[in-house]
Amino acid sequence: MVNVRPSLTTRIGQLELAYPTLMGSGCYGTGEEFAPFADLRKIGAIVLKSVTRLPRLGNPMPRIVHTSAGMLNAIGLQNPGIEWYLERELPKYSGRPCKLVGSVAGFSIDDYAYVTQRLAARSEIAAIELNVSCPNVASEGETFGCDPGLTARVVRAARAGTDKTLIVKLSPNVTDICAVAREAEAAGADALAVINTVRGMAIDVEAWHPRLANVSGGLSGPAIRPVAVLAVYEVAQAVKIPIVGQGGIETVTDALEFFLAGASAISIGTANFTDPRVPERIVAELEAYLARRGCASIDAIVGKANVGFATPHQYEGDEG
Amino acid sequence: MATTDHTAAVHETTVLERHELAAGVIHLSLDAPQLAGATRPGQYVMAIPPSAQTAATALAVYEAEGKRASLLFFVTGKRTRELAELRCGDRLDVVGPLGNGFQCMNNARDVAIVAGGVGIASVLLCARELLRDGARVRLFYGARTAELLVEAQRFADAGCELVLTTDDGSAGERGFITDALERARKPEAIYACGPTPMLRTVARIATELRIPAQLALEETFGCGIGGCWGCVVPLAGHSSQAPSFPPAVRGGSDVVYARICREGPVFLADELRW
């Protein structure tokens, strides 16, 4: 038997990735910040920080609180607005050795349509992620992602403006994430990013005030990983489009859970704050795992979480 | 401010020496020749937790000479406690040097360095560079107690004149170090690092005296290298350190949020809008 290196390439819609690893939006800057410490050739894509139609100052400080097994953030979509971004920021990113996914946030259906169309028209951008699930912008941001009907309208509006791959980032802060996932798929999404951060709060018990200026924030890190794995597992059975799994991935074992749950690719966010070498390490260890298990490609393990059951098992959710 | 040095890297270092200077005050010397050679005054590293169980911790580079770079920090929580448990011979990986540090060459002949608590860790390299440049350097150094007034002698040995204060009067004068600064002879320039309330007072004093002040800000970081925008401070839009943003009008003046980790951590006091 010839020993062939397992293939880590994957496809998310039309987005072809050399590695099944994305760097989470808002966690990896423009890539330039991390370039001295991480080999950008060894990652699939960077999801850039979300951009909105108009400039946003962002939330006041404090914006970050470290918590048990994770952190809360409430940055508030600080960004220079789409016009400035296209003119002055994006050209600087053209030499990146990995794919770039643009992230779009908005406060109306029209915002999403406009910013998606403008951003997707640029050659630097390989795909678009629709951030319909930012928990940190005074109720408005997450409203879209928490309502299946509104999610569908955002996706249809964005879809009309581009043929490039559209990834819809889903919020876990919903009663039924599968309902939102199905609506996004029906409206033309090419892929789903599962999950965004989980809403949370921390309180300073001496000063008697919230530790984030925004009061609430988005919880990330290993604390949310089991929440994310289940969401991926359930969404994978509700839709046919590929899933980018994310939420607290720090090691190859964490990453494997997501692939087995049904993710075609993973996204790494907060773990970059612990050690910028994490993405490269995960890729190397994924390859070793696939070789050890005799798998020719990463695709071979996607959604195989139930294969290990001794008897056929039908997952019926948590109902009853 | 000095511009970011592009020699930043991940350094796999070994702990050469560990000293507990006072209860919960740790000085770690690392075998890190490249880091030592690249670090400028006021720069910091992100220390990668050996357990990989928490986010990395931002720590000022205290000393940098030959093959040795050192870190001086207070144990304030889970992350610093883990670092405090390191022993000689243990490995510690650090990312750095990071940030835009102090610009020490400004032709001022009579300068004041103001340090509050653990802020002392950010100013030794600055003091040495100013002294080497021939400046007269007064260190205004305040802490809660005499025991926590660590490393003062090292600054005296380097050639600084010391003005010390403690909250409880157990060493130096009783009171805030900024009160001592206000009473002292007017310096030509100020360099400062410490808690935010102290830095705000230093900024006010510098404004009143019409002298330049460079402030090294402390904040909770997310990534510590500019990727997350979690540590920001309002900065005048015209500042040379302002990030690329259209001037967002707030309160009638142009203000943008700059990253303390990336555009800073050292800012000119008169450009902060905090």
Side-chain angles (χ1 to χ4, degrees), chain A residues 122-158:
Chain A
R122 292 291 290 261
S123 61
E124 298 93 335
I125 296 295
I128 296 286
E129 181 171 275
L130 295 175
N131 178 3
V132 292
S133 45
C134 177
N136 298 326
V137 284
S139 81
E140 298 152 279
E142 205 173 17
T143 307
F144 295 99
C146 291
D147 180 322
L150 276 176
T151 301
R153 288 177 63 197
V154 169
V155 175
R156 273 197 297 274

Side-chain angles (χ1 to χ4, degrees), chain A residues 26-29 32-34 36-37 49 55-61 63-64 66 68-69 75 78-80 84 89 92 250 273-277, chain B residues 8-10 12 48-49 52 54-56 79 93 95 98 219-223 225-232 244-246 250 255 257 259 262:
Chain A
C27 298
Y28 214 68
E32 186 232 339
E33 297 87 347
F34 280 83
F37 321 113
K49 186 165 172 59
R56 287 181 56 84
L57 196 59
N59 289 330
M61 291 291 283
R63 292 177 170 187
I64 298 263
H66 294 280
S68 305
I75 310 298
Q78 178 171 351
N79 81 93
W84 182 283
E89 285 293 308
K92 294 190 247 171
E250 295 185 312
F273 301 3
T274 301
D275 189 338
R277 297 168 297 187
Chain B
V10 181
E12 297 176 358
I48 296 175
T54 63
R79 294 185 293 160
D93 293 357
V95 179
L98 297 166
E219 192 48 77
T220 301
F221 287 170
C223 67
I225 57 182
C228 76
W229 295 85
C231 61
V232 294
S244 168
F245 270 80
R250 196 184 68 163
V255 170
Y257 279 125
R259 294 164 290 189
R262 181 87 175 172

